[in-house]
Amino acid sequence: SQTIHQWPATLVQPVGSPLSLECTVEGTSNPNLYWYRQAAGRGLQLLFYSVGIGQISSEVPQNLSASRPQDRQFILSSKKLLLSDSGFYLCAWSQPVVGANSPLHFGNGTRLTVT
Amino acid sequence: KQEVTQIPAALSVPEGENLVLNCSFTDSAIYNLQWFRQDPGKGLTSLLLIQSSQREQTSGRLNASLDKSSGRSTLYIAASQPGDSATYLCAARDNYGQNFVFGPGTRLSVLP
């Protein structure tokens, strides 16, 4: 069966510090991978998605970046965090649209607080 | 650009009631629509997925319907329980299959 791992679960970082959040998927190959952010009291905002190694699409211009160095690994990074980067970050995966049933599956999320 | 809305934003009901959550989307060219549940501080758990060619899906006490022509989906919860208290989100997957657009969610409280 497929599983998704996301870490760390919580993170407190000072303004201006770097960020690296990691997500890995097991039990599937060539998944679509996604990074979402959920700010307090707001809906999910798609940040990045990837359909393959090295292929990253950005939905929102910001000081965050994403990379996909391996097929089932997705990394969210920042060189210098801003206070506005605080939020709940969620990694997700889905199968590419070739099958009839391709739901979106989420990790447990990372609560990031920038101080 | 696809926009997804959910009504109501919050709902409080006594235990045992049947209830309906609503989800609307502006672009009917969707591949599927998925309903999720989110407990406070947790990730999203998939509840039901309806393909664009389907009209409804059922899982236990949950039934989700889809009307693409009107841009609407509903999630019906029968005989609600306090354990059903959570935020419920819907997401529409576009026809290119790469993007999921989420609604803001409905926060449900089921009172014992």
Side-chain angles (χ1 to χ4, degrees):
Chain A
S1 64
Q2 302 92 351
T3 56
I4 178 170
H5 303 280
Q6 188 179 343
W7 67 92
T10 59
L11 192 59
V12 180
Q13 292 282 98
V15 168
S17 63
L19 173 73
S20 180
L21 302 181
E22 188 163 344
C23 172
T24 61
V25 180
E26 296 178 356
T28 187
S29 60
N30 196 32
N32 288 353
L33 296 172
Y34 304 82
W35 279 111
Y36 285 89
R37 177 171 60 198
Q38 188 175 39
R42 299 177 64 182
L44 270 74
Q45 178 186 38
L46 178 63
L47 301 176
F48 301 95
Y49 70 89
S50 171
V51 300
I53 296 175
Q55 301 179 61
I56 309 294
S57 295
S58 173
E59 291 295 306
V60 181
Q62 58 211 327
N63 70 318
L64 299 173
S65 63
S67 62
R68 184 170 178 174
Q70 301 181 43
D71 180 47
R72 290 168 289 178
Q73 184 184 29
F74 206 24
I75 298 172
L76 182 69
S77 303
S78 175
K79 293 182 179 178
K80 290 185 177 181
L81 284 169
L82 307 173
L83 286 175
S84 59
D85 291 324
S86 293
F88 193 46
Y89 289 81
L90 291 154
C91 180
W93 75 273
S94 74
Q95 293 289 3
V97 182
V98 292
N101 207 10
S102 48
L104 188 63
H105 304 275
F106 280 87
N108 290 330
T110 295
R111 174 74 59 192
L112 172 65
T113 303
V114 182
T115 61
Chain B
K1 181 179 178 181
Q2 179 76 274
E3 293 185 2
V4 180
T5 56
Q6 291 186 247
I7 295 174
L11 181 63
S12 184
V13 300
E15 181 177 5
E17 273 203 7
N18 303 325
L19 58 99
V20 175
L21 307 181
N22 297 290
C23 172
S24 297
F25 45 95
T26 55
D27 187 350
S28 63
I30 63 171
Y31 190 77
N32 61 40
L33 189 133
Q34 195 170 354
W35 283 92
F36 296 85
R37 167 189 174 134
Q38 185 177 28
D39 293 293
K42 304 293 185 182
L44 279 69
T45 300
S46 179
L47 297 174
L48 289 165
L49 180 144
I50 312 175
Q51 296 294 326
S52 62
S53 59
Q54 297 175 323
R55 295 300 295 256
E56 64 178 59
Q57 280 286 323
T58 298
S59 175
R61 294 183 294 108
L62 305 179
N63 176 277
S65 67
L66 176 64
D67 184 345
K68 279 183 56 178
S69 62
S70 66
R72 295 179 61 183
S73 176
T74 62
L75 179 66
Y76 175 83
I77 302 177
S80 59
Q81 304 170 359
D84 294 330
S85 298
T87 297
Y88 291 80
L89 298 97
C90 64
R93 187 171 191 175
D94 66 36
N95 255 350
Y96 301 103
Q98 314 301 8
N99 195 10
F100 296 77
V101 179
F102 281 80
T106 294
R107 189 170 63 217
L108 172 66
S109 296
V110 181
L111 306 176

